[in-house]
Amino acid sequence: MKSFNEIMKIRDEPETKDVPVEKKKFQIKKSDDEKMQAFGWASVALTENGEVLEDWQHDIIEPEELEQAAYKFVNLYREGGEMHERGGVAYLIESVVFTEEKMMAMGIPEGVLPVGWWIGFQVTDADVWEKVKNGTYSMFSIEGEAQRIEVKDEETDQ
């Protein structure tokens, strides 16, 4: 199993001997400076190749659990915060959980997108938007609670 850092790719830099295409960071993929909007992956359960993804805390989120968590967030919260400390700095404007079934229904070929939750936020705080623009806040972070269950690694049988 690969970790989140080992799998997520930035494809906007040319590949050279000194600068590999893989940067091991999960970044905001699209933003609109004038509108103060940012878009990207909130969480990814499976890579484009179907590999299970382990997050920064070494946890795995099953696709079905990620989908249900996303629906609950959209239904109950929709608010974006700053570093899990201060709320009210943004609100959700886009959300879709790309599952294998949904991608098939949309005509997206297998292996093109990961199984994951894509989001977009309207940032309402100018100071937070400045931090998005200058790269201080370069990725999304989902906050939540879950029951941690130890899972055996099939490769090492531990």
Side-chain angles (χ1 to χ4, degrees):
M1 173 184 341
K2 291 186 180 178
S3 73
F4 180 78
N5 277 350
E6 293 171 321
I7 295 176
M8 294 317 297
K9 302 172 187 136
I10 308 301
R11 295 187 176 94
D12 53 4
E13 287 190 21
E15 186 172 5
T16 67
K17 280 187 174 182
D18 298 329
V19 182
V21 172
E22 286 192 30
K23 284 183 97 176
K24 300 173 180 66
K25 196 170 183 187
F26 201 36
Q27 294 186 332
I28 291 173
K29 297 294 188 180
K30 179 185 182 300
S31 64
D32 186 318
D33 191 33
E34 189 176 304
K35 295 179 182 176
M36 293 176 45
Q37 297 173 342
F39 303 85
W41 294 103
S43 185
V44 173
L46 303 174
T47 67
E48 294 94 332
N49 300 327
E51 293 179 74
V52 173
L53 191 60
E54 187 178 271
D55 71 12
W56 290 44
Q57 289 78 32
H58 307 290
D59 293 326
I60 297 167
I61 302 174
E62 295 292 333
E64 298 80 18
E65 291 173 8
L66 177 60
E67 186 175 30
Q68 293 308 308
Y71 296 159
K72 186 174 183 179
F73 178 83
V74 170
N75 189 40
L76 298 176
Y77 306 108
R78 297 186 199 115
E79 181 181 79
E82 183 177 13
M83 303 300 292
H84 305 280
E85 297 293 323
R86 179 172 73 104
V89 302
Y91 58 89
L92 188 72
I93 57 173
E94 183 170 287
S95 174
V96 64
V97 179
F98 286 96
T99 64
E100 292 170 342
E101 297 81 13
K102 288 177 191 171
M103 287 187 276
M104 186 183 305
M106 288 185 257
I108 299 171
E110 192 174 317
V112 173
L113 291 176
V115 171
W117 181 19
W118 176 269
I119 57 173
F121 275 89
Q122 175 69 55
V123 179
T124 57
D125 183 289
D127 292 335
V128 169
W129 184 250
E130 237 356 91
K131 292 174 186 174
V132 171
K133 285 181 8 182
N134 72 25
T136 301
Y137 299 155
S138 60
M139 65 183 79
F140 292 104
S141 174
I142 61 172
E143 181 178 11
E145 295 179 13
Q147 181 180 1
R148 184 168 276 144
I149 301 170
E150 189 92 19
V151 178
K152 281 190 175 185
D153 187 340
E154 292 176 12
E155 292 177 16
T156 63
D157 199 33
Q158 292 187 21

